[in-house]
Amino acid sequence: MPSFLHRSSHDLAVEAPPDRPLVGIALVLAAGLVFSLADTFSKVLAERLPVVEITWLRWAGFVVVVAPMLVATRGRVLQSGSPQLQAFRAACLIGSSLLFVGALSVLPLASTTTINFVSPLIVTALSIPLLGEKVGFRRWAAVAAGLVGVVVVVRPGSGTFGWAALLPILSATCWAAGVIATRRLGGIDRPWTSMTYTSLIGFVALGLVVPAVFIMPTGFELLLAAGMAGFATAGQFLTVLAFGRAPVSVLAPFTYVMLIWATALGYIVFGTVPDGWTWFGAAIIIASGIYTAHRERLRVRDAARAPVPELSRADRSQA
């Protein structure tokens, strides 16, 4: 595994704001709405422009946001304790975006969103090799149940989605790897550093590929792209604010309200409604994700309550 995933933290970490659960819940609900709007705009654009170009335009919006910080700090915001890990995180998020937009181009909005909800379960699985965490039987059972939910949604052999259903699954896997990297970076770099690295790397890397497939957008498509980038950026900020004001275990159940937003927008804009099997699979995935968050809360609580072993006389003399 990459050695930079095991870097230790240092004093660049910043003090977290006090917990305000109701504010956090309101923010995460708002984030779900604006992310769904961004995905809706992406799906409309996917019928008109190449996937790579759409993703690049989305990253361009991020660059617009971080550019003032880059200028104000004269580039110091790019000073990182782990540039390799920043590059790894950016690559994961670029892959996730490309695969997700690709999924939106061929699958219904609500179905793509539903399958992508498997990402917290993949984070649990990846936390073993990449973070060295111990995952018990019950959390593994939750992961297995979530995968069953994906199978119910996809229904292999039914001809409903075919191989296209792999796109949101792969997107969720890339996103989960990015989350693992974000956890490591939490004690190494400030959030603005991570956002700036990801924005610049994504914009430049995708910009190298875009000329090969570029189609000149119309004025309407540029408006759609601006809305997509604006909503996606707003969603990122709202998510950061939300999880800074309430624990993940408190907010996790409310992130799934995004499925309701996606379903409503899918019906309003595209006239699509998930069938009964999709709702059933979504219920399994959501229940698995909520249970996983519950087990994580218990794990963190038990770790906090664990007694600190006393130092031996020799240890105390060296402390």
Side-chain angles (χ1 to χ4, degrees):
M1 73 191 71
S3 60
F4 52 78
L5 284 172
H6 293 280
R7 293 287 297 271
S8 61
S9 62
H10 57 60
D11 58 1
L12 287 179
V14 295
E15 184 178 353
D19 280 357
R20 299 180 63 186
L22 292 180
V23 174
I25 291 169
L27 288 169
V28 85
L29 292 176
L33 174 58
V34 295
F35 272 134
S36 296
L37 288 167
D39 294 340
T40 301
F41 282 39
S42 296
K43 184 169 178 59
V44 174
L45 284 169
E47 299 172 354
R48 301 163 174 265
L49 299 174
V51 169
V52 173
E53 184 174 350
I54 296 168
T55 309
W56 177 72
L57 289 169
R58 193 162 178 158
W59 242 260
F62 295 153
V63 171
V64 170
V65 171
V66 302
M69 176 65 68
L70 188 63
V71 173
T73 63
R74 298 180 181 180
R76 290 193 302 274
V77 71
L78 290 175
Q79 294 177 354
S80 171
S82 181
Q84 286 181 301
L85 186 52
Q86 288 288 2
F88 175 80
R89 177 181 183 272
C92 291
L93 298 185
I94 293 167
S96 179
S97 293
L98 283 170
L99 291 163
F100 189 79
V101 175
L104 287 173
S105 68
V106 291
L107 297 176
L109 177 60
S111 299
T112 304
T113 303
T114 297
I115 298 172
N116 203 246
F117 274 144
V118 78
S119 57
L121 305 175
I122 300 176
V123 169
T124 297
L126 291 180
S127 66
I128 298 174
L130 297 183
L131 293 179
E133 293 184 1
K134 294 181 179 180
V135 176
F137 171 78
R138 282 177 285 193
R139 282 209 286 170
W140 273 122
V143 171
L147 295 178
V148 169
V150 172
V151 172
V152 171
V153 175
V154 175
R155 279 164 288 157
S158 67
T160 305
F161 296 140
W163 288 103
L166 289 177
L167 294 175
I169 296 174
L170 293 173
S171 173
T173 302
C174 288
W175 179 264
V179 168
I180 296 292
T182 303
R183 285 186 182 180
R184 281 293 176 188
L185 285 166
I188 298 175
D189 291 337
R190 295 178 181 273
W192 269 109
T193 298
S194 297
M195 190 169 182
T196 304
Y197 260 94
T198 301
S199 302
L200 294 179
I201 292 174
F203 182 74
V204 173
L206 293 170
L208 296 175
V209 182
V210 164
V213 297
F214 184 77
I215 296 176
M216 179 59 67
T218 64
F220 176 66
E221 289 164 354
L222 286 175
L223 286 175
L224 288 174
M228 171 191 67
F231 283 126
T233 303
Q236 293 284 353
F237 274 113
L238 289 169
T239 300
V240 171
L241 291 174
F243 285 94
R245 284 159 176 77
V248 173
S249 57
V250 171
L251 297 182
F254 296 94
T255 62
Y256 295 105
V257 175
M258 184 175 173
L259 179 57
I260 297 176
W261 300 133
T263 301
L265 289 168
Y267 175 73
I268 293 170
V269 180
F270 307 105
T272 57
V273 178
D275 60 17
W277 285 108
T278 300
W279 282 115
F280 180 52
I284 297 175
I285 295 171
I286 291 171
S288 302
I290 293 174
Y291 182 76
T292 299
H294 169 68
R295 294 302 307 174
E296 178 67 12
R297 180 182 65 82
L298 294 181
R299 186 185 70 83
V300 172
R301 184 198 65 185
D302 293 343
R305 290 180 177 178
V308 178
E310 293 186 6
L311 293 175
S312 66
R313 181 176 300 175
D315 291 333
R316 286 195 296 270
S317 66
Q318 296 174 5

